[in-house]
Amino acid sequence: MIPSRIIETKRDGGVVGRADLEAFLDGYLRGSVPDYQMAAFLMAAYFRGMDDGEAEVLVRAMLDSGAVLDLSGLDGPRVDKHSTGGVGDKVSLALAPLAAAAGLYVPMMSGRGLAHTTGTLDKLEAFPGFRTELSLGEFKDVLARVGCAMMGQTAEIAPLDRRLYALRDVTATVPVIPLIAASIMSKKLAEDLTGLVLDVKVGSGAFVPAEERALSLASTMVEIGEARGLPTVALLTAMDRPLGLAVGNALETAEAVACLRSGGPPDLRELVLAEATEMLRAGFPGTSEAEARLSAENTLDGGHALERLARLVEAQGGDPTVIDEPRRFATAPERAEVRAEQDGTVLAVDPLPLGQAVATLGGGRRRLGEPIHLGVGFQLAVAPGDRVRTGDLLGTVHALDGAGSALGSGVLRRAVRVGEGVPDLRPLLSHRVSAGGVTRY
Ligand code: URA
């Protein structure tokens, strides 16, 4: 295997043979292929794409590079969900305890904030003391006791993906569908699941904004899962506006808790219930959609999911009493209100600048491992379609200082567009992709 030949083949639009690609990836993992050659290959893949065979080699190499959990000793179905990431997406925080309380085991490995999106691990750390870095043994123990466990990708799980992901992040080569699909699926396949639900975001706040490409990403991931015996379903969900009204780590955690109290914004509740329904159908084959939905609703509205969240927080070293006192979540010292300057309808709430601003305000990392401020962000007061009058509150900026408040206010004012007309919005849930094909909601 000669690395420059492999790069050349991809650069010229060719397909790299299985043995060559395997050797190239193995060389990267072992250090004989340096970062600069892998970066050149990734950029060639960005422009030329990769075919299904190459993607399959990639998944296998990522998976085989690390440990695979053995959860076969658990006495129930093991189902996880993974989102491709969006602005205000706090679904996992409510969904994992909900699915566990409804009878599933949920071994959830999540990520930190990435680019303009906040991460589940950071949101969990809004519970004082919550430990997201567990050994695999601790993870399994919490999972067995509580029914769900949530942690980051350890060094043992798919180390090839970890290294490639870090390189893609700094070489502008993240948005390559086979690379994203292989990266996500290698981690999910390592969780030893019996079912998987994917939330693929579509719209301007998503990593893959265009519907056609999001559908292709969804189908690729479903094919990878099914080819390895993991029943996989993907839902395409709207990311042309933020999900819910809170954007920013601790604000989102508080909103997820409100959802588990049967409150919070209706779109968040709907997505949590829809994804819980899919997880329950995956875990208990033969259950009808209506039965699964009813079970999810009863678990949520009966308070069982909230109680399960408290157990999870406690089991992972956090302080569960915060759940009953959301004011104790991290806060930022400065607040600035942004009010409507005209009467009208909220035509759009642009997710991307809001997500980017959370990072600028101190809620995201510029370098790996950098500490972040969990309290900064935006608490929106309106969603697209709402009528407002001059002077009505559009949202509140939570910032560290006056400069942050000013910056955030400007971003919020531009992101919330008020005028006359009807918002042109994607449906919250638009497509369902499974082994049986693509159906529209
Ligand atoms: N999330 C991942 O885990 N990997 C990607 O490549 C993109 C999003």
Side-chain angles (χ1 to χ4, degrees):
M1 182 275 300
I2 300 170
S4 60
R5 292 262 165 80
I6 290 178
I7 299 166
E8 201 173 86
T9 303
K10 192 44 64 194
R11 181 199 67 193
D12 296 343
V15 173
V16 181
R18 173 172 288 266
D20 273 348
L21 188 53
E22 280 170 358
F24 185 62
L25 294 168
D26 190 56
Y28 181 62
L29 196 59
R30 292 173 194 282
S32 62
V33 172
D35 277 348
Y36 56 81
Q37 284 186 312
M38 183 53 81
F41 176 82
L42 293 171
M43 191 54 86
Y46 174 87
F47 285 110
R48 296 296 196 169
M50 297 176 86
D51 78 359
D52 289 351
E54 290 172 315
E56 163 59 22
V57 172
L58 206 56
V59 180
R60 184 191 302 266
M62 286 175 173
L63 191 56
D64 290 352
S65 70
V68 174
L69 290 175
D70 177 4
L71 301 178
S72 56
L74 294 172
D75 59 356
R78 311 177 295 272
V79 185
D80 190 12
K81 90 96 202 192
H82 188 88
S83 160
T84 56
V87 176
D89 183 2
K90 67 282 290 175
V91 166
S92 292
L93 264 70
L95 183 61
L98 168 52
L104 300 175
Y105 284 104
V106 187
M108 194 177 268
M109 275 189 226
S110 307
R112 299 255 167 220
L114 178 69
H116 61 280
T117 65
T118 51
T120 300
L121 298 180
D122 296 322
K123 281 172 254 198
L124 285 167
E125 287 173 1
F127 295 107
F130 194 99
R131 289 174 53 229
T132 54
E133 285 175 23
L134 305 179
S135 68
L136 289 182
E138 287 173 314
F139 182 70
K140 281 167 131 177
D141 176 58
V142 174
L143 182 63
R145 282 191 292 123
V146 182
C148 57
M150 299 172 88
M151 70 165 189
Q153 180 185 3
T154 67
E156 298 110 300
I157 302 289
L160 176 60
D161 168 62
R162 265 170 88 96
R163 287 201 47 205
L164 280 176
Y165 194 86
L167 188 62
R168 287 164 60 212
D169 199 20
V170 294
T171 55
T173 51
V174 171
V176 182
I177 286 173
L179 292 177
I180 298 178
S183 166
I184 291 176
M185 291 306 291
S186 62
K187 286 171 284 205
K188 297 295 119 181
L189 287 162
E191 288 177 354
D192 192 21
L193 301 171
T194 57
L196 174 64
V197 176
L198 297 163
D199 177 350
V200 178
K201 299 289 182 200
V202 201
S204 59
F207 284 112
V208 178
E211 179 178 295
E212 199 185 321
R213 280 173 51 79
L215 270 174
S216 160
L217 174 59
S219 305
T220 306
M221 290 195 287
V222 168
E223 277 162 27
I224 291 171
E226 294 286 340
R228 291 175 164 270
L230 173 60
T232 305
V233 170
L235 307 180
L236 255 67
T237 75
M239 191 32 67
D240 52 354
R241 69 276 190 181
L243 179 67
L245 295 170
V247 180
N249 291 294
L251 293 168
E252 292 186 37
T253 308
E255 192 168 84
V257 169
C259 175
L260 292 182
R261 290 190 189 285
S262 302
D267 58 342
L268 174 61
R269 177 181 164 90
E270 179 50 34
L271 209 49
V272 167
L273 287 172
E275 293 185 10
T277 301
E278 288 294 347
M279 288 176 77
L280 289 169
R281 286 176 74 191
F284 302 110
T287 308
S288 72
E289 187 177 351
E291 286 166 339
R293 172 82 187 201
L294 191 64
S295 163
E297 283 176 2
N298 287 342
T299 306
L300 179 65
D301 294 328
H304 309 295
L306 187 69
E307 180 260 344
R308 198 59 69 111
L309 174 68
R311 280 174 57 190
L312 172 72
V313 171
E314 187 157 31
Q316 293 197 207
D319 177 359
T321 63
V322 186
I323 291 172
D324 294 323
E325 297 170 68
R327 281 169 201 283
R328 286 177 47 219
F329 281 122
T331 52
E334 286 282 328
R335 303 279 160 89
E337 291 183 348
V338 172
R339 294 185 174 272
E341 290 172 347
Q342 65 180 93
D343 294 359
T345 299
V346 177
L347 296 176
V349 178
D350 194 356
L352 189 58
L354 291 174
Q356 288 168 333
V358 170
T360 311
L361 291 176
R365 294 178 183 78
R366 272 158 296 190
R367 273 178 291 111
L368 215 61
E370 200 175 42
I372 58 170
H373 297 281
L374 295 174
V376 301
F378 300 92
Q379 184 63 50
L380 298 163
V382 293
D386 288 351
R387 288 291 299 173
V388 292
R389 308 194 63 157
T390 306
D392 282 355
L393 185 66
L394 298 180
T396 305
V397 183
H398 294 237
L400 294 177
D401 51 28
S405 292
L407 181 137
S409 300
V411 170
L412 182 53
R413 191 170 297 293
R414 285 188 296 278
V416 181
R417 200 154 51 79
V418 177
E420 288 309 328
V422 179
D424 179 18
L425 291 180
R426 292 191 58 83
L428 181 63
L429 289 132
S430 59
H431 300 76
R432 180 179 191 271
V433 183
S434 68
V438 181
T439 49
R440 277 183 177 273
Y441 267 86

